[in-house]
Amino acid sequence: MIGYVGSLQAGTPAGFFGITNRPDELVHLLLDVAERQR
């Protein structure tokens, strides 16, 4: 699971692959997950 939030706090919740409040970083997280699915 990837989280996209308005206000980022320290740490990643359990069960999340990543969490960000930046659109460019969101794209990178999505690409990382897609690569791992192959």
Side-chain angles (χ1 to χ4, degrees):
M1 188 178 317
I2 295 175
Y4 184 62
V5 297
S7 177
L8 191 61
Q9 297 178 359
T12 302
F16 277 68
F17 177 79
I19 188 167
T20 185
N21 63 343
R22 294 178 28 200
D24 59 323
E25 192 172 332
L26 176 62
V27 171
H28 289 277
L29 287 170
L30 291 170
L31 293 174
D32 286 346
V33 169
E35 286 180 1
R36 292 170 190 247
Q37 294 296 319
R38 293 183 194 186

